[in-house]
Amino acid sequence: MTTPTRRSFTKGPRSKRSATGQPSATKGAVRRGNAPSITGSALLDRIIHVHPVTTSAIFTPVAAAATALAVTKGGGWSLAGWGLAGYVAWTLSEYWGHRIVLHYEPERGFGAKLHYILHGVHHDYPQDARRSILSPLLSIPMVGGTFYLSSVLGDLPLTFGAGYTVGYLAYDLFHLYLHHGKPKNRLLRTLREYHMRHHFRDDTKGFGISAPYWDELFGTSIARLPRGGQSARAATSGRAA
């Protein structure tokens, strides 16, 4: 397959399929640095893949305003409980959205192009910060839909949507950090290593990023290989990501 050019949405080189047509379990990032434009338009590309500061600027006021409005209506400590419930709902969205939506890979046509735009390009260029942030094409409908379903149709306090929004924003920034930061403590190093297994060893598993415990529950965790059992390529890629 060809790599994306500035004039097309062509699906990149990440997808590797076996003779049976099924996805390989050994996909990995294949490009370093920043991805080229995949739309042919620098403006459109910046709308689809935003800077991390832009994401923070969009969603932080949403969570703050929703919380403030909920407090003015009263509800006491139950508001905090609904906020926590919203956060848990986000972690499930993170897991299942990553597993079912972002890793559904049509072979051709618009679906293949859309998959590459939303997630395939991130696997090909994991060091591109803009591609490490969820596209507003997904994040805005997800957050907006959650507020609509929970508070308009479900009549739940706005803190549910606020908790969901905070969970999403924390996930996005945490995901960015795992790719570009240098964790100092053991927990963050472990989580970074776990996510790198998803990128460089088996992208059919390891879908929980800020909440990897869902992988354990749903049977998609990636066990750590014995130190001597990792291939040189996987080890090198993991350090470079």
PDB file of all heavy atoms in Angstrom, residues 155-171:
ATOM      1  N   ASP A 155     -32.138  13.500  32.122  1.00  0.00           N
ATOM      2  CA  ASP A 155     -32.374  14.394  33.250  1.00  0.00           C
ATOM      3  C   ASP A 155     -31.377  14.173  34.399  1.00  0.00           C
ATOM      4  O   ASP A 155     -31.710  14.360  35.564  1.00  0.00           O
ATOM      5  CB  ASP A 155     -33.802  14.229  33.770  1.00  0.00           C
ATOM      6  CG  ASP A 155     -34.259  15.437  34.589  1.00  0.00           C
ATOM      7  OD1 ASP A 155     -33.776  16.553  34.308  1.00  0.00           O
ATOM      8  OD2 ASP A 155     -35.076  15.262  35.515  1.00  0.00           O
ATOM      9  N   LEU A 156     -30.157  13.799  34.061  1.00  0.00           N
ATOM     10  CA  LEU A 156     -29.119  13.649  35.081  1.00  0.00           C
ATOM     11  C   LEU A 156     -28.447  14.996  35.318  1.00  0.00           C
ATOM     12  O   LEU A 156     -28.461  15.868  34.449  1.00  0.00           O
ATOM     13  CB  LEU A 156     -28.068  12.628  34.625  1.00  0.00           C
ATOM     14  CG  LEU A 156     -28.532  11.190  34.419  1.00  0.00           C
ATOM     15  CD1 LEU A 156     -27.351  10.321  33.987  1.00  0.00           C
ATOM     16  CD2 LEU A 156     -29.173  10.627  35.687  1.00  0.00           C
ATOM     17  N   PRO A 157     -27.842  15.179  36.487  1.00  0.00           N
ATOM     18  CA  PRO A 157     -27.111  16.429  36.743  1.00  0.00           C
ATOM     19  C   PRO A 157     -26.012  16.636  35.705  1.00  0.00           C
ATOM     20  O   PRO A 157     -25.421  15.675  35.189  1.00  0.00           O
ATOM     21  CB  PRO A 157     -26.521  16.214  38.145  1.00  0.00           C
ATOM     22  CG  PRO A 157     -27.399  15.202  38.775  1.00  0.00           C
ATOM     23  CD  PRO A 157     -27.839  14.288  37.669  1.00  0.00           C
ATOM     24  N   LEU A 158     -25.714  17.885  35.427  1.00  0.00           N
ATOM     25  CA  LEU A 158     -24.689  18.206  34.435  1.00  0.00           C
ATOM     26  C   LEU A 158     -23.297  17.736  34.847  1.00  0.00           C
ATOM     27  O   LEU A 158     -22.397  17.658  34.011  1.00  0.00           O
ATOM     28  CB  LEU A 158     -24.668  19.717  34.190  1.00  0.00           C
ATOM     29  CG  LEU A 158     -25.833  20.276  33.380  1.00  0.00           C
ATOM     30  CD1 LEU A 158     -25.829  21.807  33.433  1.00  0.00           C
ATOM     31  CD2 LEU A 158     -25.750  19.807  31.933  1.00  0.00           C
ATOM     32  N   THR A 159     -23.133  17.408  36.124  1.00  0.00           N
ATOM     33  CA  THR A 159     -21.825  16.915  36.549  1.00  0.00           C
ATOM     34  C   THR A 159     -21.497  15.563  35.935  1.00  0.00           C
ATOM     35  O   THR A 159     -20.327  15.190  35.857  1.00  0.00           O
ATOM     36  CB  THR A 159     -21.741  16.824  38.082  1.00  0.00           C
ATOM     37  OG1 THR A 159     -22.893  16.137  38.589  1.00  0.00           O
ATOM     38  CG2 THR A 159     -21.644  18.201  38.697  1.00  0.00           C
ATOM     39  N   PHE A 160     -22.504  14.817  35.512  1.00  0.00           N
ATOM     40  CA  PHE A 160     -22.226  13.556  34.808  1.00  0.00           C
ATOM     41  C   PHE A 160     -21.465  13.850  33.521  1.00  0.00           C
ATOM     42  O   PHE A 160     -20.430  13.255  33.241  1.00  0.00           O
ATOM     43  CB  PHE A 160     -23.530  12.816  34.494  1.00  0.00           C
ATOM     44  CG  PHE A 160     -23.303  11.482  33.811  1.00  0.00           C
ATOM     45  CD1 PHE A 160     -23.172  10.326  34.555  1.00  0.00           C
ATOM     46  CD2 PHE A 160     -23.227  11.398  32.415  1.00  0.00           C
ATOM     47  CE1 PHE A 160     -22.956   9.094  33.924  1.00  0.00           C
ATOM     48  CE2 PHE A 160     -23.012  10.192  31.788  1.00  0.00           C
ATOM     49  CZ  PHE A 160     -22.879   9.026  32.540  1.00  0.00           C
ATOM     50  N   GLY A 161     -21.997  14.797  32.736  1.00  0.00           N
ATOM     51  CA  GLY A 161     -21.309  15.185  31.514  1.00  0.00           C
ATOM     52  C   GLY A 161     -19.963  15.834  31.794  1.00  0.00           C
ATOM     53  O   GLY A 161     -18.996  15.646  31.049  1.00  0.00           O
ATOM     54  N   ALA A 162     -19.894  16.600  32.898  1.00  0.00           N
ATOM     55  CA  ALA A 162     -18.629  17.236  33.261  1.00  0.00           C
ATOM     56  C   ALA A 162     -17.583  16.176  33.602  1.00  0.00           C
ATOM     57  O   ALA A 162     -16.419  16.282  33.201  1.00  0.00           O
ATOM     58  CB  ALA A 162     -18.825  18.181  34.441  1.00  0.00           C
ATOM     59  N   GLY A 163     -17.984  15.143  34.350  1.00  0.00           N
ATOM     60  CA  GLY A 163     -17.062  14.069  34.687  1.00  0.00           C
ATOM     61  C   GLY A 163     -16.594  13.322  33.448  1.00  0.00           C
ATOM     62  O   GLY A 163     -15.414  12.953  33.347  1.00  0.00           O
ATOM     63  N   TYR A 164     -17.502  13.122  32.522  1.00  0.00           N
ATOM     64  CA  TYR A 164     -17.158  12.476  31.257  1.00  0.00           C
ATOM     65  C   TYR A 164     -16.153  13.333  30.485  1.00  0.00           C
ATOM     66  O   TYR A 164     -15.160  12.820  29.945  1.00  0.00           O
ATOM     67  CB  TYR A 164     -18.424  12.287  30.431  1.00  0.00           C
ATOM     68  CG  TYR A 164     -18.246  11.502  29.151  1.00  0.00           C
ATOM     69  CD1 TYR A 164     -18.473  10.128  29.125  1.00  0.00           C
ATOM     70  CD2 TYR A 164     -17.892  12.134  27.964  1.00  0.00           C
ATOM     71  CE1 TYR A 164     -18.334   9.405  27.946  1.00  0.00           C
ATOM     72  CE2 TYR A 164     -17.738  11.422  26.792  1.00  0.00           C
ATOM     73  CZ  TYR A 164     -17.976  10.060  26.782  1.00  0.00           C
ATOM     74  OH  TYR A 164     -17.828   9.351  25.613  1.00  0.00           O
ATOM     75  N   THR A 165     -16.391  14.636  30.464  1.00  0.00           N
ATOM     76  CA  THR A 165     -15.514  15.557  29.737  1.00  0.00           C
ATOM     77  C   THR A 165     -14.129  15.608  30.358  1.00  0.00           C
ATOM     78  O   THR A 165     -13.111  15.588  29.662  1.00  0.00           O
ATOM     79  CB  THR A 165     -16.127  16.962  29.703  1.00  0.00           C
ATOM     80  OG1 THR A 165     -17.446  16.897  29.163  1.00  0.00           O
ATOM     81  CG2 THR A 165     -15.285  17.906  28.859  1.00  0.00           C
ATOM     82  N   VAL A 166     -14.071  15.678  31.686  1.00  0.00           N
ATOM     83  CA  VAL A 166     -12.781  15.681  32.380  1.00  0.00           C
ATOM     84  C   VAL A 166     -12.039  14.377  32.104  1.00  0.00           C
ATOM     85  O   VAL A 166     -10.824  14.367  31.878  1.00  0.00           O
ATOM     86  CB  VAL A 166     -12.978  15.895  33.894  1.00  0.00           C
ATOM     87  CG1 VAL A 166     -11.679  15.629  34.656  1.00  0.00           C
ATOM     88  CG2 VAL A 166     -13.459  17.310  34.172  1.00  0.00           C
ATOM     89  N   GLY A 167     -12.770  13.262  32.114  1.00  0.00           N
ATOM     90  CA  GLY A 167     -12.150  11.976  31.813  1.00  0.00           C
ATOM     91  C   GLY A 167     -11.572  11.946  30.416  1.00  0.00           C
ATOM     92  O   GLY A 167     -10.446  11.454  30.207  1.00  0.00           O
ATOM     93  N   TYR A 168     -12.324  12.478  29.453  1.00  0.00           N
ATOM     94  CA  TYR A 168     -11.820  12.519  28.080  1.00  0.00           C
ATOM     95  C   TYR A 168     -10.565  13.389  27.978  1.00  0.00           C
ATOM     96  O   TYR A 168      -9.559  12.981  27.387  1.00  0.00           O
ATOM     97  CB  TYR A 168     -12.879  13.051  27.107  1.00  0.00           C
ATOM     98  CG  TYR A 168     -12.238  13.637  25.884  1.00  0.00           C
ATOM     99  CD1 TYR A 168     -11.534  12.814  25.005  1.00  0.00           C
ATOM    100  CD2 TYR A 168     -12.223  15.013  25.655  1.00  0.00           C
ATOM    101  CE1 TYR A 168     -10.867  13.349  23.911  1.00  0.00           C
ATOM    102  CE2 TYR A 168     -11.563  15.542  24.578  1.00  0.00           C
ATOM    103  CZ  TYR A 168     -10.891  14.709  23.704  1.00  0.00           C
ATOM    104  OH  TYR A 168     -10.209  15.232  22.639  1.00  0.00           O
ATOM    105  N   LEU A 169     -10.618  14.574  28.553  1.00  0.00           N
ATOM    106  CA  LEU A 169      -9.489  15.491  28.449  1.00  0.00           C
ATOM    107  C   LEU A 169      -8.256  14.909  29.143  1.00  0.00           C
ATOM    108  O   LEU A 169      -7.131  15.007  28.626  1.00  0.00           O
ATOM    109  CB  LEU A 169      -9.855  16.843  29.062  1.00  0.00           C
ATOM    110  CG  LEU A 169      -8.841  17.976  28.888  1.00  0.00           C
ATOM    111  CD1 LEU A 169      -8.548  18.219  27.409  1.00  0.00           C
ATOM    112  CD2 LEU A 169      -9.362  19.252  29.544  1.00  0.00           C
ATOM    113  N   ALA A 170      -8.471  14.288  30.305  1.00  0.00           N
ATOM    114  CA  ALA A 170      -7.350  13.661  31.017  1.00  0.00           C
ATOM    115  C   ALA A 170      -6.755  12.538  30.175  1.00  0.00           C
ATOM    116  O   ALA A 170      -5.524  12.386  30.096  1.00  0.00           O
ATOM    117  CB  ALA A 170      -7.824  13.125  32.366  1.00  0.00           C
ATOM    118  N   TYR A 171      -7.610  11.756  29.537  1.00  0.00           N
ATOM    119  CA  TYR A 171      -7.134  10.673  28.666  1.00  0.00           C
ATOM    120  C   TYR A 171      -6.275  11.224  27.529  1.00  0.00           C
ATOM    121  O   TYR A 171      -5.189  10.712  27.244  1.00  0.00           O
ATOM    122  CB  TYR A 171      -8.318   9.898  28.093  1.00  0.00           C
ATOM    123  CG  TYR A 171      -8.072   9.383  26.699  1.00  0.00           C
ATOM    124  CD1 TYR A 171      -7.306   8.240  26.476  1.00  0.00           C
ATOM    125  CD2 TYR A 171      -8.569  10.083  25.589  1.00  0.00           C
ATOM    126  CE1 TYR A 171      -7.054   7.799  25.191  1.00  0.00           C
ATOM    127  CE2 TYR A 171      -8.318   9.646  24.317  1.00  0.00           C
ATOM    128  CZ  TYR A 171      -7.556   8.503  24.113  1.00  0.00           C
ATOM    129  OH  TYR A 171      -7.295   8.076  22.830  1.00  0.00           O
TER     130      TYR A 171
END
